[in-house]
């Protein structure tokens, strides 16, 4: 209970609670079985990134001898111990859930088989697959005096093999080798069906390799084969001030990432003691060792769930995004946006409208310039192709590509080079800042004047994630927003004096201060006895000063609802401090990603869309954007969207003062699942 003396929940412990909510979706028997398998994959992917970035950073602080407490009351070593304990518990739960899910799948005729369970014809089929497809790709790597321990790549699967030469006594020290399980091949291998059977069967690639491991070591006897997986520090440290070419510097750092300091070692349960000793010594892992009772790296379940043929009853009902009705009956999107602002809600409405808008701008002879930010882009981006077409057509195309988007650096470098070849101006942002704002500006000549068309969004310009994340996009030709958009691009691409924003809040210059003013206005209204209310939806809330502002507003009587999907360091419901604050989190089929801010403002309600979470990095170390929604009808639609989340009693959890989350009770209430109800958004727009 002493930790309640802290006003704040620790960021990393809050993240563990978030990943636990993802795991709860895998455990929920109300979710289809193959979707539960996907959630298990997401738990693994989330944990991989957490280990390679957050835990790696904590370990670095410990190696440096840092012992200062953070603002939540934890030293690096104290936090590390708590994280490892909770992570270990989570992994145990994850693999218990894995076994439960596959028991359910087996009842549906879907199996991952051990080799011993195959019949003669199946054994021959997978043996042929191994010798024809797998064997040519494998490279056994021995470790001895002349062959040092090879580079073990981060998050790749390997087999540690112990051998002895034929005729050698068993008590002699074994020989040691490793074999990489090739990630270029599918992790799960289909097994031909049995006669008159409707079962769908697979074997795991590592089990197949283990079965035929002797083919790699002629004249030797493999007597122990154990899977292992290493996670390395994946953070990139750049000296941007001294870098002559940021793109080249990032390419160098990406190569160095392969040699990142080992952070975590996962080994199969029952790994031979000698193999374990070799791995821990050679990889210099003293602790953060996880023994896994099941297949290592469950992220393969994401592809597995999609590869199982048929069985649509084991998946969510397919959602077909509708094309925004405002653009349904027109070939001229500019005309529509001239007449009114257009709001889009992904994934319920199709991201194709954004692609079509850029493509129309690329071919429109009256369009003079296109400016855009790109943070994370899909593998086959239609937007990039459209921008390239515009550049080739001689238009002024400026693209701010964020090269430092973690784990997307290589893809963004490729896009940057492709755009440059097409004649686009590619800018890599400002030194020391990531460009995280989501904005698109088109300048068009109309009747002797210039008109600006703007799209701002809460999510990345990524047509792939737009089918998986809930995000908001706004098209507008409002002149004030257009003026701010031009000023923002001028600041990012050139030299520009500080600008006095008419509509936008922009980080790092004034976004935090603007939010402070909006919160303080509600606080002062509450003190004056007026109704005061704030609703803020975001991914994460961890900035101490922002939390203190919300505490102050709560103590003045402002009613605050925070819809925070992930990390939240604020403690709600504490008497005298935050009893007027409620924090809910929704984890469901789609990743809740939109950032929406609502302020009652004495009845003159204001709503903003933003790219920024309320984290220190977003408010001080990134170029972020918050844009008002001027159209009163669209404001009301966004308020209704927020209330969908607030009324959720199926997938919503409420943050407790002690930092844990509890499902919101639906006793005596009709079940209300906000993501299922969100389909009505288009009908609201139809009545507008």
């Amino acid at each position: 209970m002493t930790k309640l003396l802290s006003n704040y929940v620790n960021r990393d412990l809050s993240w563990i609670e978030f990943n636990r909510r993802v795991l709860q979706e895998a455990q929920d028997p109300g979710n289809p079985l193959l979707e539960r398998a996907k959630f298990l994959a997401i738990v693994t992917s989330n944990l991989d990134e957490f280990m390679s970035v957050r835990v790696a950073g904590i370990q670095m602080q410990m190696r440096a001898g840092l012992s200062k407490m953070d603002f939540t009351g934890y030293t690096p070593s104290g936090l590390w111990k708590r994280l490892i304990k909770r992570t270990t518990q989570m992994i145990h739960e994850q693999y218990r859930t894995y076994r439960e899910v596959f028991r359910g799948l087996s009842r549906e005729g879907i199996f991952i088989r051990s080799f011993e369970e195959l019949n003669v014809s199946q054994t021959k089929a997978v043996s042929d697959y191994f010798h024809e497809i797998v064997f040519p790709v494998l490279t056994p790597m021995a470790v001895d005096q002349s062959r040092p321990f090879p580079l073990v790549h981060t998050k790749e699967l390997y087999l540690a093999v112990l051998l002895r030469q034929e005729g050698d006594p068993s008590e002699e020290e074994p020989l040691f080798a490793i074999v990489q399980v090739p990630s270029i091949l599918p992790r799960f291998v289909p097994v031909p069906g049995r006669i008159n059977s409707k079962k769908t069967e697979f074997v795991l690639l590592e089990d197949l390799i283990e079965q035929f491991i002797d083919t790699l070591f002629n004249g030797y006897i493999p007597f122990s084969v154990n899977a292992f997986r290493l996670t390395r520090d994946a953070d990139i440290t750049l000296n941007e001030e001294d870098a002559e070419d940021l793109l080249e510097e990032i390419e160098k750092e990406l190569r160095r990432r392969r040699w990142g300091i080992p952070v975590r070692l996962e080994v199969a349960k029952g790994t031979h003691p000698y193999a374990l000793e070799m791995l821990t010594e050679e990889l210099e892992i003293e602790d953060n060792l996880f023994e896994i009772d099941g297949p290592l790296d469950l992220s393969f379940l994401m592809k597995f769930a999609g590869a199982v043929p048929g069985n649509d009853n084991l998946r969510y009902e397919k959602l077909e995004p509708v094309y925004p009705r405002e653009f349904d009956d027109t070939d001229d999107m500019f005309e529509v946006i001239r007449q009114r602002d257009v709001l889009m809600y992904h994934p319920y409405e199709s991201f194709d409208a954004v692609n079509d808008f850029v493509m129309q701008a690329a071919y429109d002879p009256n369009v003079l310039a296109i400016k855009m930010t790109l943070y994370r882009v899909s593998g086959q981006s239609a937007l990039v192709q459209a921008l390239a077409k515009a550049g080739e057509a001689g238009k002024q195309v400026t693209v701010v590509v964020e090269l430092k988007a973690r784990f997307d650096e290589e893809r963004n470098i490729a896009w940057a080079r492709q755009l440059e070849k097409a004649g686009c101006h590619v800018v890599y942002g400002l030194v020391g800042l990531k460009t995280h704002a989501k904005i698109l500006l088109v300048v068009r000549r109309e009747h002797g004047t210039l008109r600006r068309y703007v799209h701002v969004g809460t999510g990345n310009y990524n047509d792939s994630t737009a089918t998986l994340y809930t995000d908001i996009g706004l098209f507008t030709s409002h002149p004030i927003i257009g003026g701010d958009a031009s000023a923002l691009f001028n600041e990012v691409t050139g030299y520009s004096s500080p600008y006095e924003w008419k509509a936008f809040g922009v980080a790092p210059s004034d976004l935090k201060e603007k939010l402070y003013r909006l919160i303080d206005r509600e606080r002062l209204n509450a003190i004056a006895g007026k109704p005061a209310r704030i609703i803020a939806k975001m991914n994460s809330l961890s900035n101490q000063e922002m939390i203190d502002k919300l505490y102050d507003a709560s103590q003045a009587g402002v009613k605050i609802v925070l819809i925070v999907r992930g990390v939240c360091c604020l403690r709600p419901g504490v008497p005298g401090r935050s009893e007027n604050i409620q924090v809910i989190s929704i984890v469901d089929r789609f990743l809740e990603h939109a950032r929406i801010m609502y302020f009652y403002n004495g009845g003159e309600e204001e709503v903003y869309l933003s790219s920024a979470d309320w984290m220190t990095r977003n408010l001080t170390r990134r170029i972020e954007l918050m844009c008002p929604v001027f159209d009163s009808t669209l404001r009301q639609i966004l308020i209704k969207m927020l209330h969908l989340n607030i009324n959720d009693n199926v997938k919503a959890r409420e943050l407790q003062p002690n930092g844990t989350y509890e499902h919101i009770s639906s006793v005596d209430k009709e079940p209300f699942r906000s993501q299922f109800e969100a389909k009505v958004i288009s009908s609201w727009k139809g009545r507008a």
Side-chain angles (χ1 to χ4, degrees):
M1 295 296 292
T2 55
K3 283 296 176 187
L4 283 179
L5 295 175
S6 169
N7 291 344
Y8 316 96
V9 179
N10 179 269
R11 169 182 169 174
D12 296 304
L13 294 176
S14 180
W15 184 91
I16 292 287
E17 288 298 314
F18 158 66
N19 212 32
R20 191 180 303 282
R21 296 194 292 281
V22 178
L23 178 56
Q24 287 171 355
E25 291 303 301
Q27 296 168 332
D28 186 350
N31 288 332
L33 278 167
L34 289 175
E35 303 297 342
R36 292 172 66 184
K38 286 183 181 180
F39 279 112
L40 285 171
I42 295 169
V43 170
T44 292
S45 299
N46 287 348
L47 196 54
D48 282 350
E49 182 170 347
F50 182 69
M51 285 286 174
S52 63
V53 178
R54 296 297 304 175
V55 173
I58 293 168
Q59 289 183 336
M60 185 180 296
Q61 293 174 359
M62 291 165 61
R63 284 193 298 271
L66 298 181
S67 58
K68 183 180 178 182
M69 285 186 179
D70 64 16
F71 75 93
T72 65
Y74 281 93
T75 64
S77 61
L79 177 58
W80 186 85
K81 291 174 185 175
R82 184 68 62 91
L83 289 175
I84 297 306
K85 180 179 179 181
R86 293 195 184 181
T87 301
T88 302
Q89 294 169 344
M90 181 185 300
I91 292 171
H92 176 76
E93 284 185 46
Q94 182 189 17
Y95 277 86
R96 179 178 56 79
T97 307
Y98 167 81
R99 290 186 286 274
E100 178 187 321
V101 168
F102 271 85
R103 281 195 296 271
L105 288 173
S106 69
R107 291 191 287 270
E108 300 290 339
I110 300 168
F111 299 85
I112 291 181
R113 296 290 195 186
S114 67
F115 208 84
E116 292 74 21
E117 293 177 296
L118 305 182
N119 65 26
V120 174
S121 62
Q122 290 175 318
T123 300
K124 183 182 184 308
V126 297
S127 174
D128 291 344
Y129 178 83
F130 173 81
H131 288 94
E132 293 171 12
I133 304 297
V134 182
F135 179 80
V137 182
L138 300 177
T139 304
M141 294 174 283
V143 178
D144 54 28
Q145 294 89 339
S146 63
R147 289 168 289 193
F149 202 90
L151 172 66
V152 174
H153 295 282
T154 186
K155 294 185 286 190
E156 294 285 347
L157 189 60
Y158 290 84
L159 299 177
V161 185
L162 297 183
L163 312 104
R164 56 174 170 264
Q165 201 161 9
E166 293 177 359
D168 282 355
S170 59
E171 64 270 12
E172 280 197 7
E173 187 174 279
L175 301 171
F176 182 84
I178 69 172
V179 178
Q180 182 174 357
V181 178
S183 56
I184 197 170
L185 297 177
R187 177 80 182 278
F188 44 93
V189 179
V191 177
R194 302 165 194 256
I195 297 174
N196 298 323
S197 172
K198 295 182 180 180
K199 294 176 180 177
T200 303
E201 299 172 278
F202 302 88
V203 294
L204 290 178
L205 182 57
E206 62 266 31
D207 292 343
L208 184 58
I209 296 171
E210 179 180 353
Q211 184 65 30
F212 296 103
I213 197 73
D214 59 317
T215 62
L216 299 173
F217 301 99
N218 290 327
Y220 292 83
I221 301 172
F223 64 89
S224 177
V225 181
N226 304 115
F228 73 94
R229 183 170 179 258
L230 181 71
T231 306
R232 295 182 180 274
D233 183 347
D235 215 4
I236 287 181
T237 304
L238 289 173
N239 183 359
E240 295 186 51
E241 295 284 352
D242 297 330
E244 293 184 12
D245 187 315
L246 185 59
L247 187 146
E248 288 184 6
E249 191 67 23
I250 289 177
E251 287 181 317
K252 291 177 187 175
E253 286 297 322
L254 287 175
R255 290 191 289 271
R256 292 188 196 115
R257 181 184 274 173
R258 294 183 299 172
W259 295 93
I261 294 171
V263 175
R264 172 187 60 167
L265 178 63
E266 298 166 277
V267 298
K269 185 178 181 180
T271 294
H272 193 285
Y274 182 81
L276 190 58
E277 181 184 353
M278 284 288 292
L279 291 171
T280 54
E281 286 185 3
E282 293 290 345
L283 299 173
E284 298 180 345
I285 289 278
E286 298 177 3
D287 36 35
N288 211 7
L289 172 69
F290 292 88
E291 192 176 45
I292 305 297
D293 185 12
L296 273 60
D297 185 13
L298 294 183
S299 64
F300 79 90
L301 292 174
M302 184 62 72
K303 289 183 179 178
F304 175 85
V308 173
N311 290 283
D312 288 343
N313 60 310
L314 304 182
R315 299 181 175 91
Y316 289 128
E317 183 181 346
K318 191 172 183 181
L319 174 73
E320 290 291 349
V322 299
Y323 201 79
R325 63 174 61 198
E326 294 89 340
F327 300 130
D328 258 348
D329 301 319
T330 182
D331 293 326
D332 188 351
M333 298 176 77
F334 293 112
E335 181 182 6
V336 173
I337 301 167
R338 262 198 313 276
Q339 295 172 2
R340 57 173 169 162
D341 292 355
V342 177
L343 191 74
M344 294 188 302
Y345 190 20
H346 310 299
Y348 307 97
E349 293 182 295
S350 175
F351 191 79
D352 288 346
V354 180
N355 295 336
D356 292 346
F357 178 73
V358 178
M359 189 62 75
Q360 183 178 331
Y363 286 102
D364 188 328
N366 291 316
V367 168
L368 305 181
I370 303 173
K371 302 182 181 185
M372 186 174 191
T373 59
L374 292 180
Y375 189 75
R376 297 190 194 275
V377 189
S378 65
Q380 301 294 326
S381 174
L383 272 178
V384 172
Q385 308 306 325
L387 291 168
K389 290 286 185 187
E392 290 164 356
K395 299 185 187 302
Q396 291 290 313
V397 179
T398 304
V399 186
V400 182
V401 178
E402 181 46 71
L403 297 180
K404 302 185 291 295
R406 185 177 285 131
F407 304 120
D408 274 348
E409 298 96 344
E410 292 182 71
R411 181 180 293 168
N412 285 1
I413 287 170
W415 288 135
R417 289 193 163 132
Q418 180 179 334
L419 290 167
E420 284 177 335
K421 286 180 182 177
C424 303
H425 301 293
V426 179
V427 179
Y428 305 134
L430 298 175
V431 171
L433 299 174
K434 280 187 180 180
T435 303
H436 194 249
K438 327 295 184 185
I439 184 167
L440 163 64
L441 169 66
V442 173
V443 181
R444 191 169 187 263
R445 181 175 48 224
E446 296 177 1
H447 308 297
T449 63
L450 295 182
R451 185 186 294 269
R452 299 179 180 93
Y453 294 85
V454 178
H455 175 274
V456 295
T458 65
N460 298 312
Y461 288 110
N462 186 313
D463 47 15
S464 176
T465 57
T467 65
L468 304 172
Y469 296 2
T470 67
D471 270 309
I472 308 293
L474 174 71
F475 281 111
T476 182
S477 62
H478 196 290
I480 295 177
I481 291 176
D484 275 7
S486 286
L488 177 61
F489 279 105
N490 289 342
E491 282 203 0
V492 174
T493 64
Y495 295 107
S496 181
S497 299
Y499 181 77
E500 190 170 327
W501 307 103
K502 307 296 190 300
F504 287 174
V506 177
S509 58
D510 80 330
L511 175 56
K512 184 164 68 170
E513 288 70 25
K514 182 163 188 170
L515 286 168
Y516 285 176
R517 290 195 298 272
L518 293 170
I519 294 170
D520 280 339
R521 186 178 63 192
E522 297 299 319
R523 181 178 62 83
L524 292 173
N525 282 342
I527 291 172
K530 300 176 183 178
R533 185 170 174 80
I534 297 170
I535 307 173
K537 178 182 169 85
M538 66 197 77
N539 297 318
S540 299
L541 168 59
S542 63
N543 180 264
Q544 182 182 2
E545 292 80 10
M546 189 65 73
I547 293 170
D548 289 342
K549 278 287 179 186
L550 293 169
Y551 284 159
D552 290 345
S554 169
Q555 291 166 34
V558 180
K559 301 298 182 183
I560 302 171
V561 179
L562 303 174
I563 307 164
V564 186
R565 188 238 315 157
V567 169
C568 182
C569 297
L570 178 147
R571 290 191 190 277
V574 178
R577 185 195 307 146
S578 56
E579 66 265 43
N580 288 313
I581 304 178
Q582 180 188 25
V583 178
I584 64 174
S585 170
I586 294 172
V587 178
D588 200 349
R589 174 182 181 176
F590 303 116
L591 184 98
E592 292 287 341
H593 194 255
R595 291 97 166 182
I596 310 170
M597 285 73 200
Y598 163 86
F599 301 90
Y600 183 68
N601 187 29
E604 298 292 325
E605 298 169 303
E606 292 184 359
V607 179
Y608 297 83
L609 301 178
S610 182
S611 63
D613 294 316
W614 290 0
M615 305 176 73
T616 301
R617 70 184 187 191
N618 299 92
L619 300 173
T620 63
R621 299 195 299 274
R622 290 185 173 188
I623 297 173
E624 300 276 13
L625 172 63
M626 185 174 76
C627 176
V629 178
F630 287 135
D631 184 284
S632 60
T633 302
L634 298 188
R635 280 201 303 272
Q636 291 306 310
I637 289 174
L638 285 165
I639 293 169
K640 288 182 179 181
M641 288 182 187
L642 291 172
H643 281 281
L644 284 181
N645 287 167
I646 293 170
N647 294 329
D648 194 309
N649 58 20
V650 176
K651 292 298 182 180
R653 285 92 163 172
E654 186 170 3
L655 177 59
Q656 305 302 303
N658 65 0
T660 62
Y661 286 76
E662 294 182 4
H663 273 94
I664 291 178
S665 173
S666 58
V667 176
D668 300 327
K669 296 179 183 177
E670 284 291 320
F672 188 89
R673 190 170 176 177
S674 58
Q675 289 194 358
F676 282 16
E677 300 296 330
K679 297 175 185 177
V680 302
I681 296 294
S682 59
S683 67
W684 294 345
K685 294 169 69 175
R687 292 195 299 268

